[in-house]
Amino acid sequence: MDSTQSEDGNGRIARLVLAAGLGVAALWSLRKGKRLRGALAGAGAAALGYSATSDADGVTEPLAEEFEIDTAESDEVESDATESDHLRCAACGEPIVAGQIRVPNEDDETVHESCLEATA
């Protein structure tokens, strides 16, 4: 026998019932003066109600499937970005790493202190 309901039919009904229950809990909490509890329950009711009534298939899918990242491309981009982000010595062309002493030369270009002393 074929079922007339979709695979998500029971889940949708459960979300609608939970949304209604959270809505009632939100109103009850707000009437008693519990603002934070009422606001959180109201937000939960709105989220569950939206996911139950929206026609989007991706609403209930995990976020990991929605935002797939190609690591091969990002590695290439990252290595290019870090290569161009390094400060380079104007005298020798080598990158200046953290902890090395650097000073400006007479043309206001950044050089290693040792390179500046070698050219003087």
Side-chain angles (χ1 to χ4, degrees):
M1 295 180 91
D2 290 332
S3 176
T4 58
Q5 278 189 329
S6 67
E7 293 177 9
D8 193 34
N10 292 336
R12 181 169 289 187
I13 292 170
R15 286 193 304 267
L16 280 172
V17 169
L18 281 171
L22 280 174
V24 169
L27 290 174
W28 191 7
S29 295
L30 289 172
R31 286 185 56 111
K32 286 189 167 196
K34 310 266 185 182
R35 293 182 193 158
L36 179 62
R37 186 182 298 169
L40 289 176
L48 280 172
Y50 174 75
S51 70
T53 58
S54 70
D55 292 332
D57 293 332
V59 174
T60 58
E61 292 178 4
L63 289 177
E65 293 176 7
E66 187 174 334
F67 299 108
E68 291 183 16
I69 299 172
D70 186 13
T71 56
E73 273 186 30
S74 63
D75 290 342
E76 292 173 10
V77 171
E78 185 177 314
S79 65
D80 291 343
T82 56
E83 182 71 26
S84 65
D85 288 344
H86 285 290
L87 185 61
R88 295 202 170 270
C89 177
C92 66
E94 293 293 319
I96 299 175
V97 296
Q100 287 182 327
I101 300 174
R102 56 186 184 264
V103 293
N105 63 5
E106 57 273 349
D107 297 326
D108 285 333
E109 297 172 329
T110 304
V111 295
H112 293 110
E113 185 181 40
S114 58
C115 293
L116 186 63
E117 290 173 358
T119 58

